[in-house]
Amino acid sequence: MKIVVLAGGTSPERDVSLSSGSKIYYALKARGHQVILLDVYLGLDTDVPVTEALFEACVDWAKDIQAVSESHPDLSRLKEQRKDGGRSMFGPNVLTLCEMADIVFLGLHGANGEDGRIQAAFDLMGIRYTGTGYLSSALAMDKSLSKQLFAAAGIPTPKGISLKNGQSADSASLSYPCMVKTVCGGSSVGTYRVDRPEDLADVLADAYTFGEDVIVEQFITGREFSVGVIDGKALPVIEIAPLQGFYDYKNKYQPGSTIETCPAELSDELTRQLQGYAEQVFEALKLTSYARIDFMMDSADQSFYCLEANTLPGMTPTSLLPQEAAAIGMTFEDLCEELIEVSLARYERT
């Protein structure tokens, strides 16, 4: 197949996306597909006519991709790399090449990639892509809306309040520690643990730099888990145990920062319960194709709480979904093929 892998973009998760995209690119190349890796924002700026021959060109499209750094990237200079000033999310020739492809593998993360906007544009243009549709992407991306849907479906989720930029919380009415999260962030960018009431105002001010909406959420003391779901069926549970702090951006993407155990050391009963919740979340958010669902388990009573759903989960060397797939004997190349197949099946059903 002719496949475009889209990565990069303009979210704080840009570097993570590029790392995911490069790994996907090499896996699909190894399977004999004709693959092009593109930065959705920078595109392919060339004076040479763009034709389908590019899919057959002897080019390593991922050779300049670097490892994910300890901190999220500085995006302020990104627009300077676009000759047109970056008026559109789609860089030069991106849409042209995506229209030529049999399918676009979305290796994007975060805003302007995982929030349904690109999915909606592709739907209007008749471009096939991996992952769920535009509406379910948007619902899952908005932590405030998704928590409401979890509650309506009877899926436990930490108690929380939603705030808009300019609003302040009554710090005295909250229990500490608590978590502050930008509503539409990912990779734990814009996520903070607040231990003291006097720190809340400064943390909120920083969180608002990532978006206009935040949630202040009950802190759950216990173990953290994630469950991948492919075509509605849960994969083995993986446990995430950071060596220091919580599962933040650094601990997610720096090798050796976190101990990950898959299958997680849980009883059969708790494993089935957690996988059941993951499949319920998949259904409640009207997800299709695949996703990864994150949970906490309260150490006091072993109750599970759903944190969020990731509709385009990471595919980096340290990412969770590939580890879960490996636990059932699926190689990374197998996983990439499977995600394409379940995504194409969505088009066959419509």
Side-chain angles (χ1 to χ4, degrees):
M1 284 191 288
K2 294 190 295 295
I3 302 171
V4 169
V5 178
L6 275 192
T10 58
S11 86
E13 297 171 79
R14 172 181 171 79
D15 287 355
V16 181
S17 171
L18 289 169
S19 181
S20 285
S22 65
K23 200 160 187 281
I24 295 163
Y25 165 78
Y26 286 127
L28 295 175
K29 287 281 284 185
R31 283 297 176 94
H33 295 292
Q34 297 175 331
V35 193
I36 293 175
L37 172 63
L38 290 177
D39 184 321
V40 65
Y41 186 72
L42 296 181
L44 179 63
D45 195 352
T46 177
D47 295 326
V48 177
V50 173
T51 69
E52 291 189 14
L54 273 175
F55 286 90
E56 301 176 8
C58 187
V59 175
D60 183 351
W61 296 86
K63 63 181 177 62
D64 295 324
I65 304 298
Q66 304 296 316
V68 181
S69 63
E70 290 192 7
S71 58
H72 57 82
D74 180 4
L75 301 172
S76 60
R77 298 178 63 87
L78 190 60
K79 283 188 177 181
E80 297 175 7
Q81 299 180 52
R82 284 268 297 267
K83 291 179 182 178
D84 63 0
R87 292 187 300 273
S88 167
M89 177 63 190
F90 296 105
N93 296 305
V94 168
L95 291 176
T96 299
L97 286 164
C98 287
E99 286 185 299
M100 293 176 182
D102 296 307
I103 192 167
V104 176
F105 199 120
L106 293 178
L108 298 164
H109 305 312
N112 299 323
E114 203 168 356
D115 57 10
R117 298 182 187 185
I118 284 178
Q119 289 84 348
F122 281 178
D123 285 344
L124 291 172
M125 298 181 68
I127 295 171
R128 300 191 297 183
Y129 54 88
T130 58
T132 197
Y134 75 92
L135 181 57
S136 47
S137 295
L139 290 174
M141 187 69 181
D142 189 311
K143 294 183 180 68
S144 181
L145 284 175
S146 60
K147 284 173 72 69
Q148 293 177 48
L149 291 170
F150 296 161
I155 300 162
T157 188
K159 297 177 183 178
I161 58 173
S162 299
L163 299 172
K164 287 193 172 294
N165 197 349
Q167 287 184 305
S168 58
D170 179 6
S171 61
S173 67
L174 300 171
S175 59
Y176 292 85
C178 63
M179 296 298 293
V180 171
K181 302 175 181 179
T182 183
V183 163
C184 290
S187 289
S188 296
V189 175
T191 299
Y192 313 80
R193 171 175 163 158
V194 184
D195 292 301
R196 306 180 305 169
E198 56 265 36
D199 295 332
L200 182 61
D202 287 342
V203 168
L204 285 173
D206 199 54
Y208 284 132
T209 64
F210 294 100
E212 291 295 304
D213 301 275
V214 304
I215 56 173
V216 183
E217 192 174 74
Q218 169 192 9
F219 181 82
I220 305 297
T221 301
R223 298 163 66 186
E224 185 165 0
F225 301 92
S226 193
V227 185
V229 180
I230 298 179
D231 203 21
K233 184 171 177 57
L235 292 174
V237 178
I238 188 168
E239 180 172 5
I240 308 113
L243 297 179
Q244 293 183 335
F246 67 96
Y247 197 45
D248 60 7
Y249 187 92
K250 176 181 179 295
N251 284 329
K252 283 186 176 182
Y253 301 113
Q254 297 306 305
S257 297
T258 301
I259 297 173
E260 292 150 354
T261 306
C262 187
E265 295 178 356
L266 289 170
S267 68
D268 290 345
E269 180 182 357
L270 288 174
T271 296
R272 286 193 297 270
Q273 182 182 5
L274 190 51
Q275 289 175 317
Y277 279 141
E279 291 172 359
Q280 283 183 258
V281 169
F282 198 84
E283 183 176 351
L285 296 178
K286 306 302 181 187
L287 301 174
T288 60
S289 302
Y290 60 97
R292 198 198 74 231
I293 323 297
D294 297 337
F295 296 89
M296 290 295 299
M297 185 178 77
D298 193 317
S299 57
D301 59 7
Q302 294 190 318
S303 296
F304 290 116
Y305 294 86
C306 183
L307 302 179
E308 63 177 321
N310 304 272
T311 55
L312 292 176
M315 299 284 278
T316 73
T318 59
S319 293
L320 305 178
L321 187 66
Q323 293 187 57
E324 295 179 63
I328 57 171
M330 189 180 292
T331 68
F332 186 81
E333 293 174 7
D334 292 336
L335 175 61
C336 290
E337 291 274 13
E338 177 70 8
L339 299 186
I340 288 174
E341 290 304 313
V342 297
S343 298
L344 286 173
R346 177 165 66 92
Y347 293 97
E348 296 172 1
R349 293 193 293 265
T350 58

